[in-house]
Protein backbone atom coordinates (compact mmCIF):
# COMPACT_ATOMS: atom_id res chain seq x y z
CA UNK A 1 0.00 0.00 0.00
CA UNK A 2 1.44 3.36 -1.04
CA UNK A 3 1.05 6.29 1.29
CA UNK A 4 2.01 9.87 0.77
CA UNK A 5 2.51 9.42 -2.98
CA UNK A 6 0.76 11.84 -5.23
CA UNK A 7 -0.52 10.34 -8.43
CA UNK A 8 -1.04 12.46 -11.49
CA UNK A 9 -4.70 11.92 -12.25
CA UNK A 10 -5.44 12.23 -15.93
CA UNK A 11 -8.65 14.21 -16.47
CA UNK A 12 -11.40 11.99 -17.79
CA UNK A 13 -13.83 14.74 -18.85
CA UNK A 14 -13.32 17.48 -21.42
CA UNK A 15 -15.50 20.60 -21.27
CA UNK A 16 -16.23 22.68 -24.38
CA UNK A 17 -18.01 26.04 -24.37
CA UNK A 18 -20.23 26.44 -27.45
CA UNK A 19 -20.69 30.19 -27.08
CA UNK A 20 -19.97 31.92 -30.41
CA UNK A 21 -18.64 28.69 -31.97
CA UNK A 22 -19.78 27.56 -35.41
CA UNK A 23 -22.03 24.52 -34.98
CA UNK A 24 -20.44 22.32 -37.65
CA UNK A 25 -16.85 23.05 -36.66
CA UNK A 26 -17.56 22.38 -32.99
CA UNK A 27 -19.49 19.19 -33.75
CA UNK A 28 -16.78 17.74 -36.01
CA UNK A 29 -14.05 18.59 -33.48
CA UNK A 30 -15.99 16.96 -30.63
CA UNK A 31 -16.80 13.87 -32.75
CA UNK A 32 -13.15 13.43 -33.66
CA UNK A 33 -12.09 13.89 -30.02
CA UNK A 34 -14.58 11.24 -28.87
CA UNK A 35 -13.41 8.72 -31.47
CA UNK A 36 -9.67 9.33 -31.07
CA UNK A 37 -9.71 9.04 -27.28
CA UNK A 38 -11.76 5.84 -27.54
CA UNK A 39 -9.36 4.41 -30.14
CA UNK A 40 -6.34 5.19 -27.96
CA UNK A 41 -7.83 3.16 -25.12
CA UNK A 42 -8.47 6.13 -22.83
CA UNK A 43 -12.08 7.14 -23.55
CA UNK A 44 -12.99 10.58 -22.27
CA UNK A 45 -16.40 12.01 -21.58
CA UNK A 46 -17.23 15.31 -23.25
CA UNK A 47 -19.51 18.02 -21.90
CA UNK A 48 -20.63 20.89 -24.13
CA UNK A 49 -22.08 23.89 -22.28
CA UNK A 50 -24.03 26.90 -23.58
CA UNK A 51 -25.55 24.95 -26.49
CA UNK A 52 -28.10 27.69 -27.17
CA UNK A 53 -25.27 30.15 -27.95
CA UNK A 54 -23.72 28.11 -30.79
CA UNK A 55 -24.10 29.72 -34.21
CA UNK A 56 -25.04 28.57 -37.69
CA UNK A 57 -23.56 30.74 -40.43
CA UNK A 58 -25.53 32.08 -43.36
CA UNK A 59 -28.61 34.17 -44.08
CA UNK A 60 -31.27 33.90 -41.40
CA UNK A 61 -34.23 33.15 -43.67
CA UNK A 62 -32.41 30.28 -45.45
CA UNK A 63 -31.21 28.71 -42.19
CA UNK A 64 -34.65 28.87 -40.58
CA UNK A 65 -36.24 27.40 -43.74
CA UNK A 66 -33.72 24.52 -43.77
CA UNK A 67 -34.33 23.63 -40.12
CA UNK A 68 -38.08 24.00 -40.58
CA UNK A 69 -37.94 21.59 -43.54
CA UNK A 70 -35.93 19.06 -41.48
CA UNK A 71 -38.36 19.31 -38.59
CA UNK A 72 -41.48 18.86 -40.75
CA UNK A 73 -39.98 16.16 -42.97
CA UNK A 74 -41.89 13.21 -41.52
CA UNK A 75 -44.97 12.37 -39.50
CA UNK A 76 -44.92 14.05 -36.05
CA UNK A 77 -46.00 10.90 -34.19
CA UNK A 78 -44.34 8.17 -36.26
CA UNK A 79 -40.92 9.75 -36.84
CA UNK A 80 -38.07 9.88 -37.56
CA UNK A 81 -37.92 12.78 -35.19
CA UNK A 82 -35.82 15.92 -35.44
CA UNK A 83 -35.17 17.73 -32.15
CA UNK A 84 -36.30 21.27 -31.35
CA UNK A 85 -34.26 22.02 -28.20
CA UNK A 86 -30.79 23.50 -28.82
CA UNK A 87 -28.96 20.90 -26.72
CA UNK A 88 -30.58 18.05 -28.63
CA UNK A 89 -29.92 19.70 -32.03
CA UNK A 90 -26.23 19.99 -31.11
CA UNK A 91 -26.10 16.39 -29.87
CA UNK A 92 -27.83 15.17 -33.04
CA UNK A 93 -25.28 17.11 -35.13
CA UNK A 94 -22.38 15.42 -33.34
CA UNK A 95 -24.11 12.04 -33.68
CA UNK A 96 -24.38 12.60 -37.43
CA UNK A 97 -20.58 12.87 -37.60
CA UNK A 98 -20.02 9.57 -35.79
CA UNK A 99 -20.39 6.01 -37.14
CA UNK A 100 -23.46 5.71 -34.91
CA UNK A 101 -25.33 3.04 -36.86
CA UNK A 102 -22.34 1.10 -38.19
CA UNK A 103 -19.93 0.62 -35.29
CA UNK A 104 -20.18 0.14 -31.57
CA UNK A 105 -17.44 2.75 -31.10
CA UNK A 106 -19.80 5.39 -32.52
CA UNK A 107 -22.64 4.32 -30.23
CA UNK A 108 -20.35 4.36 -27.20
CA UNK A 109 -19.03 7.79 -28.21
CA UNK A 110 -22.57 9.20 -28.23
CA UNK A 111 -23.08 7.80 -24.72
CA UNK A 112 -19.95 9.67 -23.59
CA UNK A 113 -21.37 13.01 -24.81
CA UNK A 114 -23.39 15.42 -22.66
CA UNK A 115 -24.78 18.67 -24.07
CA UNK A 116 -26.23 21.27 -21.73
CA UNK A 117 -28.22 24.45 -22.06
CA UNK A 118 -26.50 27.22 -20.12
CA UNK A 119 -23.67 26.61 -17.67
CA UNK A 120 -24.21 24.35 -14.65
CA UNK A 121 -23.18 25.77 -11.29
CA UNK A 122 -20.28 23.33 -10.81
CA UNK A 123 -18.69 24.48 -14.10
CA UNK A 124 -19.10 28.23 -13.54
CA UNK A 125 -16.08 30.33 -12.81
CA UNK A 126 -12.48 29.80 -13.81
CA UNK A 127 -11.71 26.59 -11.94
CA UNK A 128 -13.20 23.29 -13.05
CA UNK A 129 -13.87 20.37 -10.70
CA UNK A 130 -11.28 17.64 -10.30
CA UNK A 131 -11.14 15.33 -13.30
CA UNK A 132 -12.36 18.03 -15.72
CA UNK A 133 -10.34 20.17 -18.12
CA UNK A 134 -11.16 22.59 -20.91
CA UNK A 135 -11.06 21.08 -24.39
CA UNK A 136 -8.67 22.51 -26.98
CA UNK A 137 -10.61 24.75 -29.35
CA UNK A 138 -7.70 26.64 -30.89
CA UNK A 139 -8.32 25.04 -34.31
CA UNK A 140 -12.00 26.00 -34.46
CA UNK A 141 -11.77 29.49 -32.95
CA UNK A 142 -12.98 32.06 -35.51
CA UNK A 143 -14.29 35.64 -35.32
CA UNK A 144 -18.06 36.04 -35.60
CA UNK A 145 -19.24 36.11 -39.23
CA UNK A 146 -21.44 38.86 -40.64
CA UNK A 147 -24.51 36.64 -41.06
CA UNK A 148 -25.39 33.97 -38.50
CA UNK A 149 -28.24 32.61 -36.38
CA UNK A 150 -27.90 31.32 -32.83
CA UNK A 151 -29.13 27.82 -32.07
CA UNK A 152 -31.50 29.25 -29.45
CA UNK A 153 -33.20 31.37 -32.11
CA UNK A 154 -33.59 28.33 -34.38
CA UNK A 155 -35.17 26.41 -31.51
CA UNK A 156 -37.53 29.28 -30.79
CA UNK A 157 -38.55 29.31 -34.47
CA UNK A 158 -39.22 25.55 -34.34
CA UNK A 159 -41.55 26.06 -31.37
CA UNK A 160 -39.39 24.97 -28.43
CA UNK A 161 -40.13 26.45 -25.03
CA UNK A 162 -37.52 29.13 -24.44
CA UNK A 163 -37.98 29.34 -20.68
CA UNK A 164 -34.95 27.07 -20.11
CA UNK A 165 -32.45 29.47 -21.64
CA UNK A 166 -33.93 32.93 -22.20
CA UNK A 167 -33.71 35.64 -19.56
CA UNK A 168 -36.92 37.39 -20.51
Amino acid sequence: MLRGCEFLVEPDTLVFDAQDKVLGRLASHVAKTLLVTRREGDPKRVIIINAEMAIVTGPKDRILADYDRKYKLNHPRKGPFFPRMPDMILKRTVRGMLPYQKKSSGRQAVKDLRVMIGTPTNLKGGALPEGHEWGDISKIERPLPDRFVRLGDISKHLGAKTSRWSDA
Side-chain angles (χ1 to χ4, degrees):
M1 183 161 88
L2 297 172
R3 291 185 188 211
C5 293
E6 299 239 356
F7 293 104
L8 180 62
V9 177
E10 188 71 24
D12 62 344
T13 303
L14 297 173
V15 180
F16 291 93
D17 190 358
Q19 184 159 355
D20 297 337
K21 306 294 182 292
V22 178
L23 176 67
R25 290 181 184 271
L26 177 66
S28 64
H29 183 72
V30 167
K32 186 174 182 178
T33 302
L34 286 166
L35 285 177
V36 167
T37 58
R38 181 159 290 285
R39 189 178 312 129
E40 291 174 353
D42 183 30
K44 294 188 184 281
R45 288 178 297 207
V46 172
I47 299 173
I48 302 175
I49 58 175
N50 292 323
E52 76 281 5
M53 299 302 286
I55 62 172
V56 178
T57 59
K60 183 175 182 175
D61 54 347
R62 183 184 58 84
I63 293 169
L64 294 179
D66 286 348
Y67 276 90
D68 208 26
R69 180 186 50 80
K70 286 180 192 177
Y71 181 69
K72 293 178 179 176
L73 185 61
N74 291 304
H75 196 276
R77 282 190 311 234
K78 297 178 183 175
F81 305 107
F82 189 79
R84 292 189 297 181
M85 294 300 285
D87 55 338
M88 297 309 294
I89 292 174
L90 184 59
K91 189 170 186 172
R92 174 83 177 245
T93 305
V94 174
R95 191 189 88 177
M97 297 181 183
L98 292 168
Y100 177 73
Q101 292 184 332
K102 295 185 177 189
K103 294 183 177 180
S104 63
S105 62
R107 287 187 293 277
Q108 288 298 321
V110 171
K111 289 180 183 177
D112 290 340
L113 176 65
R114 299 286 178 264
V115 182
M116 299 179 182
I117 294 175
T119 306
T121 55
N122 66 330
L123 298 177
K124 285 187 179 176
L128 291 175
E130 187 176 330
H132 292 64
E133 75 174 8
W134 290 106
D136 181 30
I137 55 166
S138 61
K139 292 182 180 179
I140 63 170
E141 192 71 38
R142 300 278 191 277
L144 278 177
D146 293 336
R147 297 180 298 175
F148 66 89
V149 180
R150 296 208 182 271
L151 213 49
D153 297 335
I154 294 171
S155 294
K156 184 177 180 181
H157 175 75
L158 293 176
K161 294 181 180 167
T162 61
S163 60
R164 283 182 56 193
W165 71 86
S166 64
D167 296 333

